[in-house]
Amino acid sequence: MRNQQFSVCVGRIVAMLLLTPGLPAQSADLEAGRKIFEEVCAACHGTTGRPDPSNPVVQALDPQPADLSDPLFNSREPTADWHIVVTHGGQALGLSAVMPGQQGALSAEDIQNVVAYAKTLAPGSDKYPPGELNFFLPVRTKKAFPEDEIVYKARITERDGDNVWRNVIEIEKRFGKRSMGVLEIIHEDDGTDSEITEVEAGAKTVLHWNLERRSILSGALIVAIPTDSDESEEIIPYLAYGKQLNDKAIFQSSARVIVPVDDTGDGEVELAGVVHYLWTDQRRAVYPALEVTATVPFDAEDEDTVQWTALPQVRIGLTKGGHVALNLGVEFPLSDQSYNTRYHLNLLWDFADGSFFKGW
Ligand code: HEC
């Protein structure tokens, strides 16, 4: 009964969140932007957005500017980040101060126009999901955006008796326009055994996105291979959805189906949803979030077999641009479960945005 009321309540919140309209689109004067780009930016960035290596001005730059005409690079950078960099200079997001801030030299409108123009320098970038939809990594909800990222995940499960410590290294690498391959190596230590227990590999692809509505949907297929030959391989398809609700909140959710190959009837569906509160636009900040998960076995006979958990957490951006960040969370079972509390720590490094040591 309690579960039922709870699911109705969660359902209502989710429905309410999904009906919120997206952010208003901003208009810009691209022709005015082009003129400014050619006058102010092209000396270093090249008229096409690709720095000309034979130009002595460019040769003297350290670091070299990235190629703004590369559709993967151009698409993955949120427009808002470019606003910050062009207004305040590279150092504002942990990049080099060789990228000069234009505040003072250009009006706010000029900056909006030149950034909008710079965004058009990579023809075909509209085939790539835009960086605006690269939302924060939650602890359990799967992300929809394809990443170039390495994540270390530690989890301590507190049981009556022994605690279990689980370490995961996850490597994600983008391929194609909208896809990502993923490899996870899972190590567990229960006090008696300390070993690699599982390897997971798979791929994820973005099925749909809408920049105006700030929404993104992805599908993935993962294969989990246990190192213990007595245990079954698992096939894990999932869907992941993300939506920015307004300028203060992001909602993300995922549905994973976990199917053991040896006994397909013994699988389960894992639903997860999370809301992050965006109280600031600083990247090096602490963002609170609340996550809820529900695990439903295939052979669920009554509501009580659904396992609910609540997972309050924080995301802590560590670098100026937030490309290295920490997640800390505590997971509480809301229904009968085999453990008392779980503590989560994730350390992520988005390596597309530069070295781990950049921008602290
Ligand atoms: C003096 C040379 C110079 C000028 C002029 C200049 N830039 Fe840059 N810009 C750079 C360099 C160098 C970087 C790379 C900084 C880094 O990667 O640490 C950069 C980085 C950037 C980035 C960030 C890309 C990223 O990595 O996210 C954007 C966007 C950008 N510039 C746009 C502009 C625009 C628009 C103008 C004109 C208003 C402009 N730049 C003028 C040198 C310049």
Coordinates of all heavy atoms in Angstrom, one line a residue, residues 116-117 182 185 242 301:
A116 N 27.0 33.3 -31.6 CA 26.0 32.6 -32.5 C 26.6 32.3 -33.8 O 26.4 31.2 -34.4 CB 24.7 33.4 -32.6
Y117 N 27.4 33.3 -34.3 CA 28.0 33.1 -35.6 C 29.1 31.9 -35.5 O 29.2 31.1 -36.4 CB 28.7 34.4 -36.2 CG 29.4 34.1 -37.5 CD1 28.7 33.9 -38.6 CD2 30.8 34.1 -37.5 CE1 29.4 33.6 -39.8 CE2 31.5 33.8 -38.7 CZ 30.8 33.6 -39.8 OH 31.5 33.3 -41.0
V182 N 31.3 1.9 -24.4 CA 31.6 1.9 -22.9 C 32.1 0.6 -22.5 O 31.7 -0.5 -22.9 CB 30.3 2.3 -22.1 CG1 29.1 1.4 -22.4 CG2 30.6 2.4 -20.6
I185 N 34.9 -2.0 -15.7 CA 35.6 -3.1 -15.0 C 35.2 -3.0 -13.5 O 35.4 -1.9 -12.9 CB 37.1 -3.0 -15.1 CG1 37.4 -3.2 -16.6 CG2 37.8 -4.1 -14.3 CD1 38.8 -2.8 -17.0
G242 N 16.8 12.8 -20.8 CA 17.1 14.0 -19.9 C 16.4 15.2 -20.5 O 16.1 15.3 -21.7
E301 N 4.9 -10.4 -8.1 CA 3.5 -10.8 -7.9 C 2.7 -9.7 -7.2 O 1.6 -9.5 -7.5 CB 3.5 -12.1 -7.1 CG 3.6 -13.2 -8.1 CD 4.0 -14.5 -7.5 OE1 3.9 -14.6 -6.3 OE2 4.4 -15.4 -8.3

